[in-house]
Amino acid sequence: MSVKNLELYKSHILEYGFSVINGIFSDEEVERIIHVLEGIDTSKENFRKSEDLFAIRQFLKEIPEIKSLIFNDMIQRVIKEVFGEKYVVVKSIYFDKPETSNWYVAYHQDLTISVDKKVELQGFGPWTTKQNQFAVQPPLTILENIYTIRIHLDDTDENNGALKVIPGSHTKGIYRPETIDWTVETENICKVERGGIMLMKPLTLHGSNRTTNGKKRRVIHIEFSDSELPEQLNWSEKTH
């Protein structure tokens, strides 16, 4: 992958709010990641398990041995050259959408960040707390600076829950899904190959459909920011 190519992906995500780059992980690298995932104890409280979804919050904290497999040279280049020198991990989740999943997600923006505690701060709110984990909607400037990498461990298309996005919606501030004007907006299905990644700005309106082809969809979702929070508050998962 050349630097020239990365510039193309960078301009695409800035303009449209998303970009797909295939071939970031080899088959062997994907197999190593899956091997670690298959060996974990799934009974921990940060793990959510149902017929339709298995999820691990604070993924990189819970499974630290997987970090060296995820942050290969390619991913490190993407972070540095597409996002910026100062970007660090601030949130991580693992999703496993089983073959028979009826799980679907309506169009939405990712409007909250994970922090270490709840404090009253101007411009921060509303707050939610789940299992002693704190999430808050921060000022728009912080949300605008975040980038997400979604690492795909399976081929993903519209039949097993590939993300559908509304290009350019990340530039329109808080955009309520019920106000989407389909006479001006278009929908794009983000197909990603096994070992590929999808880059996204969290303000990009996105959703996913139910699985209809009997194939798994396993995704590692990692958010990055270069923003400093007010001194009373810390990112709950910030890693350097």
Side-chain angles (χ1 to χ4, degrees):
M1 187 193 302
S2 72
V3 175
K4 183 179 167 191
N5 279 344
L6 279 185
E7 283 297 322
L8 289 174
Y9 295 117
K10 182 175 182 174
S11 61
H12 197 277
I13 190 172
L14 290 175
E15 183 172 354
Y16 299 107
F18 71 97
S19 197
V20 173
I21 315 177
N22 287 312
I24 293 289
F25 294 88
S26 67
D27 261 352
E28 190 182 332
E29 287 174 311
V30 172
E31 281 303 322
R32 282 196 209 123
I33 292 169
I34 290 171
H35 180 70
V36 172
L37 290 168
E38 286 177 343
I40 57 182
D41 170 9
T42 62
S43 62
K44 295 186 182 179
E45 65 174 353
N46 272 343
F47 296 9
R48 167 185 175 176
K49 201 162 192 175
S50 73
E51 288 177 12
D52 290 324
L53 185 72
F54 172 60
I56 305 173
R57 292 195 195 92
Q58 300 207 4
F59 175 64
L60 296 176
K61 267 190 181 178
E62 292 285 354
I63 322 288
E65 64 271 26
I66 214 162
K67 282 186 197 171
S68 60
L69 302 178
I70 287 171
F71 292 101
N72 66 6
D73 290 346
M74 293 280 224
I75 285 284
Q76 292 189 54
R77 273 195 62 197
V78 168
I79 295 164
K80 195 165 143 187
E81 295 177 28
V82 178
F83 306 167
E85 294 276 356
K86 295 180 180 174
Y87 273 78
V88 295
V89 173
V90 294
K91 185 175 183 176
S92 59
I93 311 171
Y94 169 67
F95 296 106
D96 178 350
K97 192 173 179 180
E99 297 92 329
T100 55
S101 177
N102 279 320
W103 183 266
Y104 79 97
V105 181
Y107 266 112
H108 67 287
Q109 295 172 302
D110 292 339
L111 294 176
T112 63
I113 58 172
S114 296
V115 291
D116 63 337
K117 57 183 168 297
K118 183 176 179 179
V119 288
E120 291 305 315
L121 282 172
Q122 192 168 359
F124 284 77
W127 289 79
T128 58
T129 309
K130 281 181 197 165
Q131 296 166 328
N132 216 26
Q133 296 182 24
F134 304 94
V136 64
Q137 184 169 325
L140 201 57
T141 50
I142 290 175
L143 291 172
E144 287 171 341
N145 261 22
I146 293 172
Y147 284 95
T148 300
I149 292 181
R150 292 169 60 92
I151 300 166
H152 283 250
L153 305 180
D154 302 286
D155 287 330
T156 309
D157 61 20
E158 65 276 15
N159 300 309
N160 64 332
L163 279 197
K164 47 187 186 178
V165 300
I166 297 179
S169 51
H170 67 301
T171 62
K172 300 178 182 181
I174 307 297
Y175 192 153
R176 298 292 171 202
E178 60 274 16
T179 67
I180 296 170
D181 181 354
W182 290 111
T183 62
V184 296
E185 304 291 17
T186 56
E187 178 175 284
N188 190 298
I189 305 283
C190 297
K191 298 180 185 182
V192 189
E193 294 171 8
R194 168 187 160 106
I197 62 174
M198 177 185 172
L199 307 178
M200 191 174 71
K201 301 293 284 176
L203 289 175
T204 306
L205 276 162
H206 59 285
S208 65
N209 294 333
R210 292 180 174 87
T211 298
T212 57
N213 64 356
K215 292 184 178 173
K216 286 173 86 73
R217 188 201 74 180
R218 292 167 291 185
V219 172
I220 297 165
H221 170 116
I222 308 175
E223 295 177 19
F224 299 80
S225 176
D226 66 348
S227 298
E228 291 295 327
L229 297 177
E231 59 183 40
Q232 312 92 302
L233 207 56
N234 296 299
W235 300 96
S236 68
E237 291 181 61
K238 186 168 181 178
T239 58
H240 295 278

